[in-house]
């Protein structure tokens, strides 16, 4: 087990957003979190990455408790967070954005080539400012930047948001390729159909609580899941 949450509760002020959430991610897995807007999915990822700290509960990365660690320390230990909305630096070039992703470690030229092999368009756009890229290219840059820290676990928050269908297909193919190269992935995604197709296991989050956990093949057949999230 590479990542585990035990009874994690996170608050915004007095409002409890996550309510004793427990989940785990095995090494080499893709696990998806599905749920409606406001269910607490983004808060969950922010809590894992150290942007927020839980009021109660434990978070373990390879058995090391990290729930009180700072975000930069968590990145150094091997968790990288690709946030909702991309959050690239619009006035910086593609290359500068990528270099910032490697701020915790010494950048090796060969590693840039690995990223460009995964995202060839970024090599073509290397000197271009991030803000001039298309939405899909910005999403590629955001994922690539997250990979620059050489994570063991990649947290992906809504990677398909606002993208055209062909670009969504390309992004999901790339996510699978990243996973094949040894990165464990926790995926938050509104497009539940796609997420459940590429993940091994899924958690359904409702109003801050995990209400269902199962293999994705079973979740796809589940009538309640189909009705609420799959348009069935």
């Amino acid at each position: 087990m590479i990542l585990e949450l035990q009874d994690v509760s996170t608050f915004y002020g007095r409002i409890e957003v996550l309510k004793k959430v427990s989940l785990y991610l095995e090494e080499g897995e893709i696990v998806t979190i599905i749920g409606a807007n406001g269910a607490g999915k983004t808060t969950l990822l922010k809590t894992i990455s150290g942007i927020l700290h839980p009021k109660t509960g434990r978070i373990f990365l390879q058995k090391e408790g990290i729930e009180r660690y700072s975000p930069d320390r968590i990145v150094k230990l091997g968790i990288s967070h690709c946030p909702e909305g991309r959050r690239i630096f619009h006035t910086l070039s593609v290359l500068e954005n990528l270099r910032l992703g490697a701020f915790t470690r010494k950048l090796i030229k060969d590693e840039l080539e690995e990223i460009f092999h995964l995202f060839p368009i970024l090599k073509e756009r290397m000197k271009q400012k991030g803000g001039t890229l298309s939405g899909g290219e910005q999403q590629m840059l955001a994922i690539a930047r997250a990979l620059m820290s050489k994570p063991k676990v990649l947290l992906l928050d809504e990677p398909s948001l606002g993208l055209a269908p062909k670009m969504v297909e390309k992004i999901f193919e790339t996510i699978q390729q990243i996973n094949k190269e040894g990165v464990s992935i926790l995926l938050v995604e509104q497009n539940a159909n796609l997420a459940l197709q590429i993940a091994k296991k899924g958690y359904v989050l409702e109003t801050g609580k995990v209400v269902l956990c199962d293999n994705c093949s079973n979740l796809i057949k589940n009538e309640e899941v189909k009705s609420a999230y799959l348009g069935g």
Side-chain angles (χ1 to χ4, degrees), residues 2 21 72 93 124 166 184 204-205 207 213:
I2 194 165
V21 170
D72 63 308
S93 71
E124 297 176 26
K166 284 188 178 179
S184 305
V204 179
L205 201 62
T207 59
C213 170

Side-chain angles (χ1 to χ4, degrees), residues 15 37 223:
I15 300 172
N37 288 334
E223 290 301 325

Side-chain angles (χ1 to χ4, degrees), residues 45 80-84 139 142-143 146 154-159 171 175 178 185-189 198:
L45 297 192
S80 192
H81 184 179
C82 182
E84 180 183 5
Q139 185 62 67
I143 295 172
L154 179 61
L155 310 178
L156 286 174
D157 195 352
E158 303 289 3
I171 291 292
I175 291 169
I178 292 166
I185 296 173
L186 189 60
L187 170 65
V188 163
E189 177 54 58
I198 70 166

Side-chain angles (χ1 to χ4, degrees), residues 31-43:
V31 170
T32 188
I33 312 292
I34 61 175
N37 288 334
K41 305 185 299 298
T42 293
T43 299

